[in-house]
């Protein structure tokens, strides 16, 4: 059986599976089917059951019976919103507009509720925000809706004010961006994705066949690696990034794998 590394933790793979295929299945996904589909990428049955239980406690999966009466799980409304919001990033094909502007998130949390301050910081960072100043976070303007949905779901909206605008200086925007985000660290994430998956794409491009089981396995693993990257990298305009930015190449690799493997893998997933 394939070893599931930290890059492909069982819980993450289950979320990836629902995002890619599970939410398009008619009705809840039976537990037995989850076990079959996760076994294809090296996750054993006890790990599936344990990870599903954790996702259920987090309110992302809801227990439900299939039309045949089998035990299964369906996405909660919050989980569907998360995946719908994520689609706009994960499958974004067009480059970001050069002049879309920015949103600022300014928050203030009382000392008596400082745990919420920690949650706010971690969520904004996880959504791809950079830090413009203490308590002032910045992101491309298109991330507003998803950020609002996330903070509303966590009941953190009352602590945050949003502003939309443009950067007027004094430093050049390209210099400011390098302070707001750790671009070197983001570039390393793209390079790691390329190291793991560019060879996979080259191998598929040499083949004429696309067996559903192999397509499913490789697509799920590639998507599980990729879907975190558009949150680490908020998708800054090209003219604000270093030359030969690896995000362009990693996006092209994912798009190639998606086009070649997603639909073929759907047959293995029963769609």
């Amino acid at each position: 059986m394939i070893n599931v590394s930290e890059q492909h933790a069982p819980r993450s793979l289950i979320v990836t599976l629902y995002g890619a295929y599970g939410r398009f299945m008619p009705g809840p996904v039976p537990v037995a089917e989850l076990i079959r589909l996760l076994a294809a990428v090296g996750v054993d049955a006890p790990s599936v059951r344990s990870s599903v239980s954790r996702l259920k406690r987090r309110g992302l999966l809801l227990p439900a019976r299939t039309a045949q009466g089998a035990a299964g799980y369906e996405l909660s409304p919050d989980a569907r919103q998360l995946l719908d919001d994520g689609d706009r990033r994960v499958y974004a094909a067009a480059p970001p507009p050069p002049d879309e502007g920015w949103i600022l998130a300014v928050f203030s949390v009382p000392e008596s509720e400082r745990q919420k301050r920690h949650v706010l910081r971690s969520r904004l960072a996880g959504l791809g925000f950079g830090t413009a100043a203490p308590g002032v976070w910045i992101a491309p303007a298109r991330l507003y809706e998803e950020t609002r949905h996330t903070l509303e779901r966590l009941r953190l909206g009352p602590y945050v004010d949003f502003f939309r605008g443009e950067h007027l200086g004094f430093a050049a925007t390209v210099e400011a961006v390098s302070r707001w985000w750790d671009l070197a660290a983001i570039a390393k994430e793209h390079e790691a994705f390329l190291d793991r998956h560019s060879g996979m794409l080259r191998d598929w491009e040499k083949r004429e066949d696309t067996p559903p089981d192999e397509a499913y396995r490789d697509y799920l693993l590639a998507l599980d690696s990729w879907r975190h990257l558009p949150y680490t990298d908020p998708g800054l305009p090209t003219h604000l990034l270093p030359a030969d930015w690896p995000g362009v190449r990693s996006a092209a690799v994912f798009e190639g794998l998606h086009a070649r493997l997603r639909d073929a893998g759907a047959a293995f997933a029963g769609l």
Side-chain angles (χ1 to χ4, degrees):
M1 181 170 283
I2 305 166
N3 288 324
V4 180
S5 69
E6 290 183 4
Q7 285 293 335
H8 300 292
R11 200 179 342 171
S12 177
L13 282 166
I14 291 172
V15 174
T16 301
L17 168 60
Y18 271 94
Y21 300 116
R23 60 178 155 158
F24 305 111
M25 296 177 183
V29 183
V31 174
E33 184 67 354
L34 283 175
I35 290 172
R36 179 185 78 88
L37 292 171
L38 271 298
V41 288
V43 183
D44 59 28
S47 296
V48 172
R49 295 182 187 278
S50 173
S51 298
V52 163
S53 294
R54 292 176 184 173
L55 291 168
K56 183 173 69 172
R57 287 196 297 271
R58 288 179 57 192
L60 297 178
L61 291 181
L62 302 175
R65 293 279 173 182
T66 68
Q68 293 74 34
Y73 288 90
E74 62 186 6
L75 292 167
S76 69
D78 280 350
R80 287 191 177 277
Q81 182 70 71
L82 275 168
L83 292 174
D84 289 346
D85 284 338
D87 283 354
R88 289 188 285 274
R89 295 207 203 196
V90 173
Y91 302 110
D99 56 354
E100 68 173 313
W102 307 93
I103 56 167
L104 293 177
V106 181
F107 65 82
S108 178
V109 181
E111 183 61 26
S112 60
E113 299 179 276
R114 57 184 167 183
Q115 178 58 27
K116 292 183 179 178
R117 187 183 308 147
H118 171 73
V119 173
L120 251 173
R121 287 172 178 156
S122 64
R123 292 295 174 161
L124 290 173
L127 287 164
F129 276 70
T131 309
V136 182
W137 294 67
I138 188 167
R142 67 183 178 281
L143 302 188
Y144 166 68
E145 288 293 336
E146 181 180 2
T147 304
R148 181 174 62 82
H149 292 158
T150 299
L151 298 186
E152 285 175 345
R153 185 172 60 252
L154 297 171
R155 297 181 175 84
L156 294 172
Y159 304 98
V160 181
D161 285 303
F162 284 113
F163 301 87
R164 189 190 301 269
E166 57 182 313
H167 180 241
L168 300 176
F170 290 95
T173 305
V174 67
E175 296 175 12
V177 160
S178 67
R179 296 196 310 269
W180 300 338
W181 283 275
D182 186 344
L183 297 180
I186 296 172
K188 285 182 180 179
E189 295 288 329
H190 285 294
E191 295 287 2
F193 179 85
L194 287 165
D195 288 344
R196 289 193 297 273
H197 297 291
S198 58
M200 177 190 290
L201 178 60
R202 287 194 298 270
D203 289 344
W204 277 107
E205 288 174 338
K206 295 173 185 175
R207 297 177 61 167
E208 295 184 2
D209 64 330
T210 314
D213 58 336
E214 295 181 44
Y216 167 84
R217 179 198 65 210
D218 283 359
Y219 181 64
L220 201 71
L221 294 175
L223 178 59
D224 192 60
S225 294
W226 171 258
R227 70 179 180 87
H228 303 283
L229 252 175
Y231 288 88
T232 302
D233 181 344
L236 300 171
T238 304
H239 70 280
L240 298 178
L241 294 168
D244 195 28
W245 179 247
V248 177
R249 288 178 280 125
S250 66
V253 167
F254 175 72
E255 288 166 14
L257 289 168
H258 176 77
R260 177 66 181 269
L261 304 178
R262 194 274 170 191
D263 290 347
F268 181 81
L271 290 174

